[in-house]
Amino acid sequence: MAGTNSERQLLAEGPAIILVEPQMGENIGMVARAMANFGLAELRLVNPRDGWPNEKALATASKADHVIEATKVYDTLEQAVADLNFVYATTARERDGYKPVRSPVIAAETLRARFRAGEGTGILFGRERWGLTNEEVALADEIVTFPVNPAFASLNIAQAVLLMSYEWMKSGMEDLGAVPFQAMGQTPSTKDQLFGLFDQLEDALDARGYFHPAGKKPKMVDNLRAVLSRRAFTEQEISVLRGVISSLDRFSRKSPRGGRFPTAAKETPPDDSADA
């Protein structure tokens, strides 16, 4: 599975994700996958429609087996939150009654602080079709809602879990600009290497009659050098470009390289000026 690495630390902490009467096993599996992506591991199901365990959930979890295998099932929401100290309810709709409404960023920071204090926390997610009832929201301490298109606010349950899981992961990062890996380092080219590219390209173009009429050659050379000097090449990039030019010098469209390096091409490069 791309992106998985059994040799690295598996994060498994944070708030419980509580799905109230989830309908489709596939959605439960995708929720488990989203949780595993961002270090959450405790999944609780309240009265899942198709029962538990569920083969479709396992199939769509994409190797988030540790989440699926540890999943707990409850008959009622009250039972599912009984041991928790603080719970958020997710909803996209305005609700009657007063409960603080938080953004995902603030909610994640609150959950992180309570987690560090040793409290049990959870996040409620409603049914695929119509979410949570007012009575179910009333069991939560606060509401969390997402900044979505007001005219199209419906989120798939796995998408909603993914967003909260992502914010949870961010809330524990010391540097929000940090990334898990860096691009391979490359050495900037020297001016001498760049000049070598200029000379090779000019020789190749000159042999093909590119600089025509001859009186315009100096200006055309200046333009070429200006284009190639607009950015700082690396040694590897210079090598690639010079390899391309060498190949074009050595082979023409009429005499392509084919399966192996032609002996004649090694000795006498063909005249491909008609193909340039």
Side-chain angles (χ1 to χ4, degrees):
M1 179 63 188
T4 60
N5 188 336
S6 60
E7 296 180 357
R8 303 189 69 175
Q9 178 189 5
L10 178 66
L11 299 178
E13 59 181 20
I17 298 298
I18 305 162
L19 307 185
V20 179
E21 296 186 353
Q23 296 169 287
M24 299 178 64
E26 294 90 339
N27 284 341
I28 298 173
M30 288 188 286
V31 163
R33 180 179 183 179
M35 293 170 60
N37 284 152
F38 297 104
L40 297 177
E42 186 176 356
L43 177 60
R44 302 185 181 189
L45 307 179
V46 178
N47 192 26
R49 184 189 67 181
D50 296 335
W52 193 261
N54 186 297
E55 290 299 321
K56 292 181 179 179
L58 183 61
T60 55
S62 296
K63 298 188 183 299
D65 297 348
H66 63 290
V67 178
I68 293 294
E69 292 169 0
T71 298
K72 298 177 182 178
V73 179
Y74 300 85
D75 293 328
T76 66
L77 179 55
E78 288 83 353
Q79 293 172 351
V81 300
D83 64 327
L84 302 179
N85 303 104
F86 186 88
V87 176
Y88 273 109
T90 60
T91 181
R93 304 195 309 270
E94 293 185 23
R95 302 281 180 162
D96 294 331
Y98 175 78
K99 278 190 184 293
V101 181
R102 309 298 187 192
S103 71
V105 174
I106 299 301
E109 291 174 350
T110 301
L111 290 168
R112 179 69 65 174
R114 290 180 175 273
F115 170 76
R116 288 172 174 164
E119 295 185 23
T121 59
I123 313 172
L124 305 182
F125 295 85
R127 302 153 189 83
E128 288 93 328
R129 290 188 178 181
W130 42 280
L132 296 166
T133 66
N134 287 335
E135 292 76 15
E136 290 162 346
V137 171
L139 296 179
D141 297 278
E142 295 183 359
I143 290 172
V144 58
T145 192
F146 303 99
V148 293
N149 183 348
F152 197 79
S154 176
L155 286 175
N156 173 279
I157 188 171
Q159 293 174 323
V161 172
L162 180 73
L163 289 173
M164 280 307 303
S165 300
Y166 174 60
E167 293 299 339
W168 164 259
M169 174 67 83
K170 283 171 55 181
S171 71
M173 296 174 61
E174 295 182 0
D175 178 7
L176 293 181
V179 292
F181 59 88
Q182 298 286 342
M184 292 180 61
Q186 295 192 359
T187 306
S189 65
T190 64
K191 293 301 181 185
D192 186 59
Q193 290 168 329
L194 186 60
F195 298 155
L197 173 63
F198 291 161
D199 292 341
Q200 183 182 8
L201 179 58
E202 289 164 18
D203 287 344
L205 293 175
D206 206 11
R208 289 161 177 78
Y210 175 80
F211 300 111
H212 180 79
K216 291 188 176 180
K217 179 178 177 179
K219 179 60 176 176
M220 296 173 76
V221 168
D222 286 344
N223 289 341
L224 278 173
R225 293 195 173 203
V227 169
L228 294 173
S229 300
R230 292 179 67 180
R231 53 152 294 172
F233 286 103
T234 64
E235 289 185 352
Q236 293 87 341
E237 291 168 336
I238 292 287
S239 179
V240 168
L241 289 173
R242 296 199 65 167
V244 169
I245 297 168
S246 293
S247 180
L248 294 174
D249 253 348
R250 190 174 294 116
F251 306 102
S252 70
R253 294 182 184 178
K254 293 180 180 179
S255 302
R257 177 168 181 166
R260 60 180 183 175
F261 200 103
T263 303
K266 290 183 180 179
E267 300 172 353
T268 307
D271 180 5
D272 61 349
S273 59
D275 297 314

